[in-house]
Amino acid sequence: ISAATFKAIESAKISQTETEISNIKTALQMYESDVGKYPPGAGPLNLLKYFLEGLPGGSGPSGVKGWNGPYMHFNRVKFFFNPVDAWGKAYWYFKGGPHNGVDYFDLWSCGPDGKSNTDDDITNW
């Protein structure tokens, strides 16, 4: 594989992940509009998938009043149904994270290197 081809593939993965983060952000905002708050949590998006897609059969998560989803469907999932980015690594979610504040959320992919808090992270901040 040539360097130019590799660079084009990485660029496409970055664009795809940026689009997916934007789509997840929109789904979270629709959820918040219906429920009145963002889903709780900090960590990989496996729990978030439950809040955004609901249960099999289309019903919302138990105990969540106002849920009117599903808000999105995740095309790529891995172990324990974690939604994954274009590199096959988990997306991360932190309700009330340090970047966007207590009333919002931080959402990110660790990017091509797979490591958090590096220059290639793809984020919503």
Side-chain angles (χ1 to χ4, degrees), residues 14-67:
I14 290 168
S15 293
Q16 180 180 22
T17 300
E18 289 170 342
T19 298
E20 289 173 352
I21 283 181
S22 178
N23 291 342
I24 296 167
K25 178 181 169 183
T26 298
L28 284 163
Q29 290 168 331
M30 292 185 322
Y31 174 97
E32 189 274 339
S33 179
D34 289 344
V35 175
K37 58 186 175 184
Y38 291 104
L45 282 184
N46 59 339
L47 181 62
L48 195 57
K49 180 180 185 300
Y50 168 72
F51 284 103
L52 296 180
E53 283 191 358
L55 301 169
S59 63
S62 63
V64 177
K65 291 181 171 49
W67 191 88

Side-chain angles (χ1 to χ4, degrees), residues 41-116:
L45 282 184
N46 59 339
L47 181 62
L48 195 57
K49 180 180 185 300
Y50 168 72
F51 284 103
L52 296 180
E53 283 191 358
L55 301 169
S59 63
S62 63
V64 177
K65 291 181 171 49
W67 191 88
N68 194 28
Y71 300 97
M72 74 175 299
H73 173 73
F74 294 94
N75 294 317
R76 284 186 315 276
V77 294
K78 280 198 171 178
F79 190 64
F80 288 114
F81 305 104
N82 285 325
V84 294
D85 63 18
W87 298 274
K89 305 294 184 189
Y91 282 105
W92 292 83
Y93 170 81
F94 188 168
K95 165 64 178 83
H99 297 281
N100 289 317
V102 296
D103 294 327
Y104 204 57
F105 58 88
D106 294 350
L107 177 66
W108 70 98
S109 157
C110 294
D113 72 2
K115 298 175 185 170
S116 197

